[in-house]
């Protein structure tokens, strides 16, 4: 007679069990995509030409990232050994934290900011020290300086920051690097192209500075998953030790050089977004909606208690926007990605209709 076996499977690490879950609102996104800060139009036509020319035989070989890393490094004015391509900026954050955070260390994190910093850090044995921004969501520089301790091992700064669109100045970043020489200063420049200011020229000159970039935003390569870390050779050697040698696929590697080379297309798309952002800000101001000054390809808007209904009304009108009410200090706030001027004209029509509908609902409730 066969003995019964109790169906108890292996348990995950307690640290993993305690991690926050990230649930992106994906699915049914065949509408105007103003919810994920992606390029809302298309990548460079040169990328499409490369994709069409990839042979089936090329897909049978493991990818080699080093030749493309050399191209990217030259594009950025860096040495090849200072640059590592990653499977999106998410992998960049993940491997950096795996390389430098251990038990007893602290990650210093101004909030609200990109959610994945805290999630990846919580998978390590380090402690996350969150420094809350004030009500205006400006970078909490002085409070962050005060929070530095001998245990601080990584300071993660997104500039421009999401969801606020606010920025950290070069002077502030240099001060942080100098005040915490024992810590890695990660400067995430995911939205660099819409801001125009960078720390990339200081890579290798500031010994604890590492810069992250993504090709998912302005370049329009979100589906290929491409990011990078750039830092001093002495730090990047440890990042490479953690990084999988094959995590960036062959298609992504083939498409990156033509995307970098087509500066005319990139410049056109960025200028289109900046013009559309200014126009859309004027619409928000005319409607009396509170917003935060943004240097990125999105705007954070205070919708108030009816934020969930607003998101639903916009979706019903064919426009996807992102409710950020669960972020620290962001109750009632909705983030709206900026696309082309034509796209944002359609979004403005939907926005006005949604605001009108919410306002009429309020008046009806008052009359009861």
């Amino acid at each position: 007679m066969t003995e019964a076996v109790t169906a108890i499977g292996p348990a995950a690490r307690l640290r993993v069990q305690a991690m926050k879950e990230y649930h992106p609102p994906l699915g049914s996104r065949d509408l105007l995509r103003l919810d994920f800060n992606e390029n809302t139009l298309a990548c460079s036509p040169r990328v499409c030409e490369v994709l069409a020319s990839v042979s089936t035989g090329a897909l049978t070989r493991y990818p080699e990232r080093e030749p493309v890393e050399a191209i990217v490094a030259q594009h950025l004015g860096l040495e090849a050994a200072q640059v590592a391509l990653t499977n999106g900026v998410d992998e960049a954050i993940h491997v950096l934290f795996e390389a430098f955070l251990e038990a007893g260390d602290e990650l210093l994190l101004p909030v609200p900011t990109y959610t994945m910093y805290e999630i990846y850090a919580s998978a390590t044995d380090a402690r996350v020290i969150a420094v809350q921004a004030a009500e205006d969501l400006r970078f909490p520089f002085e409070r962050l300086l005060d929070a530095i301790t001998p245990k601080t091992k990584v300071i993660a700064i997104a500039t421009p920051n999401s969801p606020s669109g606010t920025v950290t100045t070069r002077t502030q970043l240099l001060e942080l690097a100098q005040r915490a020489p024992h810590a890695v200063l990660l400067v995430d420049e995911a939205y660099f192209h819409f801001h125009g200011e960078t720390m990339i020229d200081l890579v290798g000159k500031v010994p604890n500075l590492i810069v992250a970039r993504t090709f998912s935003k302005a370049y329009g390569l979100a589906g290929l998953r491409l990011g990078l870390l750039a830092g001093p050779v002495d730090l990047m050697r440890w990042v490479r030790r953690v990084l999988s040698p094959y995590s960036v696929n062959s298609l992504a590697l083939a498409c990156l050089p033509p995307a970098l080379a087509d500066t005319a297309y990139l410049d056109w798309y960025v200028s289109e977004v900046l013009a559309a952002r200014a126009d859309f800000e004027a619409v928000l101001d005319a409607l009396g909606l509170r917003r935060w000054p943004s240097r990125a390809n999105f705007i954070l808007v205070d919708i108030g208690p009816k934020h969930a209904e607003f998101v639903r009304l916009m979706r019903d009108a064919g426009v996807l926007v992102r409710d950020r009410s669960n972020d620290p200090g962001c109750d009632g706030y909705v983030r709206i990605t900026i696309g082309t001027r034509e796209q944002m004209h359609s979004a403005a029509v939907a926005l006005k209709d949604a605001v009108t509908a919410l306002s009429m609902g309020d008046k009806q409730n008052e009359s009861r």
Side-chain angles (χ1 to χ4, degrees):
M1 188 176 190
T2 304
E3 293 184 11
V5 178
T6 304
I8 300 177
R13 289 193 300 127
L14 294 178
R15 180 67 64 186
V16 173
Q17 294 181 40
M19 286 175 62
K20 292 183 178 180
E21 293 188 59
Y22 180 65
H23 297 287
L26 294 172
S28 302
R29 296 187 68 230
D30 294 331
L31 302 171
L32 180 51
R33 298 175 288 106
L34 304 185
D35 53 345
F36 273 80
N37 303 340
E38 303 154 318
N39 179 311
T40 60
L41 192 64
C43 61
S44 162
R46 296 190 191 180
V47 171
C48 298
E49 293 172 3
V50 168
L51 282 173
S53 67
V54 173
S55 68
T56 55
L59 299 180
T60 66
R61 299 192 295 266
Y62 282 107
E64 297 182 34
R65 76 175 82 205
E66 289 81 4
V68 182
E69 284 176 341
I71 294 171
V72 174
Q74 184 178 23
H75 178 80
L76 296 174
L78 300 174
E79 301 172 16
Q82 294 176 314
V83 175
L85 290 174
T86 59
N87 189 265
V89 78
D90 282 356
E91 186 190 33
I93 297 166
H94 193 187
V95 298
L96 182 70
F97 289 180
E98 287 293 323
F100 291 100
L101 290 176
E102 58 186 353
D105 290 339
E106 294 177 349
L107 165 69
L108 202 52
L109 192 65
V111 295
T113 191
Y114 184 44
T115 307
M116 297 308 295
Y117 300 134
E118 183 174 0
I119 289 178
Y120 284 134
S122 66
T124 72
D125 291 320
R127 181 184 175 204
V128 176
I129 306 298
V131 179
Q132 178 67 48
E135 193 268 345
D136 61 7
L137 298 184
R138 289 184 182 179
F139 180 62
F141 177 58
E142 295 296 337
R143 289 195 295 280
L144 207 64
L145 287 177
D146 292 341
I148 294 173
T149 73
K151 295 182 180 180
T152 304
K153 192 62 174 293
V154 177
I155 305 172
I157 309 295
T159 180
N161 186 36
S162 179
S164 63
T166 54
V167 297
T168 308
T169 68
R170 185 181 178 99
T171 300
Q172 290 172 331
L173 291 169
L174 286 172
E175 179 68 15
L176 284 167
Q178 292 168 2
R179 293 281 288 271
H182 56 289
V184 172
L185 175 63
L186 170 64
V187 179
D188 187 344
E189 297 183 347
Y191 303 100
F192 153 72
H193 294 93
F194 308 103
H195 175 40
E197 296 184 14
T198 181
M199 297 286 283
I200 207 82
D201 60 301
L202 296 178
V203 166
K205 299 174 183 176
V206 178
N208 56 339
L209 170 68
I210 291 183
V211 175
R213 290 274 185 94
T214 181
F215 299 97
S216 296
K217 309 302 181 183
Y219 285 100
L221 302 178
L224 290 177
R225 311 306 301 128
L226 267 172
L228 68 81
L229 287 175
V233 175
D234 288 345
L235 297 184
M236 294 304 293
R237 64 187 289 240
W238 303 119
V239 169
R240 290 182 187 280
R241 186 167 293 188
V242 178
L243 184 63
S244 165
Y246 305 121
S247 62
V248 180
N249 69 74
S250 298
L251 291 178
L253 292 171
C255 291
L256 186 51
L260 291 174
D262 196 352
T263 56
Y265 182 82
L266 180 69
D267 291 345
W268 171 82
Y269 181 75
V270 170
S271 64
E272 183 71 13
V273 168
L274 295 182
R277 188 179 71 191
D279 291 346
F280 198 71
E281 286 173 339
V283 172
L284 294 169
D285 293 344
L287 291 171
L289 292 173
R290 182 188 182 204
R291 63 173 175 85
W292 280 262
S294 174
R295 299 300 301 272
N297 66 332
F298 56 83
I299 300 175
L300 188 67
V301 184
D302 185 357
I303 299 299
K306 293 190 175 182
H307 52 91
E309 187 176 353
F310 172 82
V311 172
R312 180 187 61 79
L313 288 170
M314 292 291 283
R315 173 182 276 275
D316 290 345
V319 181
L320 301 174
V321 295
R322 188 79 181 271
D323 195 334
R324 303 305 316 190
S325 291
N326 289 329
D327 289 1
C330 293
D331 186 34
Y333 302 169
V334 173
R335 191 188 66 196
I336 303 175
T337 301
I338 303 298
T340 66
R341 281 173 285 186
E342 181 179 356
Q343 289 172 332
M344 298 315 295
H345 175 75
S346 299
V349 172
L351 174 78
K352 293 173 185 177
D353 290 344
V355 170
T356 299
L358 294 177
S359 177
M360 290 179 61
D362 289 339
K363 291 180 180 179
Q364 289 175 353
N365 291 331
E366 290 174 1
S367 65
R368 290 175 183 171

